[in-house]
Amino acid sequence: MIAIAAVLLLCVVLPFALSFIADAIALVLRRGAAGVPALFVVVGVSAAIAGIGLLLAYLNVEFVENTAAELERTAALGRGLLLLCVPLAVTGMLVRLWIATLRRRRDPEA
């Protein structure tokens, strides 16, 4: 069960958190220093997610006896989730940037 939580954090939540980092970088480039606090918050949250995921993975390896079949199933689950979530996260990032561009075109002062 610990391994499933680690895989979900690292393979599902983390790609979306990293896409928000890209959005925050675009915000900093667009608005300058006004976007820096958002960048720090998003980087901190992403680091916390990665740290918790790695801690859960370490706890699973260290304290739970796993068979080779269980580890293989967990690795296959992680690969499958990455193949699904990384393109979704990139698509979400591109859509958010496109929406921001549309807003900027409609209201150049924003």
Side-chain angles (χ1 to χ4, degrees), residues 21 24-25 28 33 35-47:
I21 287 178
I25 290 171
V28 168
V36 173
L39 179 64
F40 284 138
V41 168
V42 173
V43 168
V45 168
S46 298

Side-chain angles (χ1 to χ4, degrees), residues 42-107:
V42 173
V43 168
V45 168
S46 298
I49 291 169
I52 292 170
L54 290 174
L55 177 67
L56 288 174
Y58 173 75
L59 290 174
N60 182 60
V61 169
E62 195 66 30
F63 296 112
V64 178
E65 291 188 22
N66 296 308
T67 64
E70 290 173 344
L71 292 175
E72 181 59 35
R73 280 193 303 258
T74 305
L77 175 67
R79 280 191 301 271
L81 288 173
L82 280 174
L83 284 173
L84 176 70
C85 292
V86 169
L88 284 175
V90 170
T91 302
M93 177 196 64
L94 293 175
V95 167
R96 287 188 301 268
L97 289 174
W98 179 66
I99 290 171
T101 304
L102 288 177
R103 285 184 185 161
R104 224 178 23 232
R105 286 183 189 165
R106 278 188 14 197
D107 187 18

Side-chain angles (χ1 to χ4, degrees), residues 10-25:
L10 293 173
C11 297
V12 175
V13 178
L14 191 59
F16 289 101
L18 295 176
S19 76
F20 283 114
I21 287 178
D23 287 339
I25 290 171

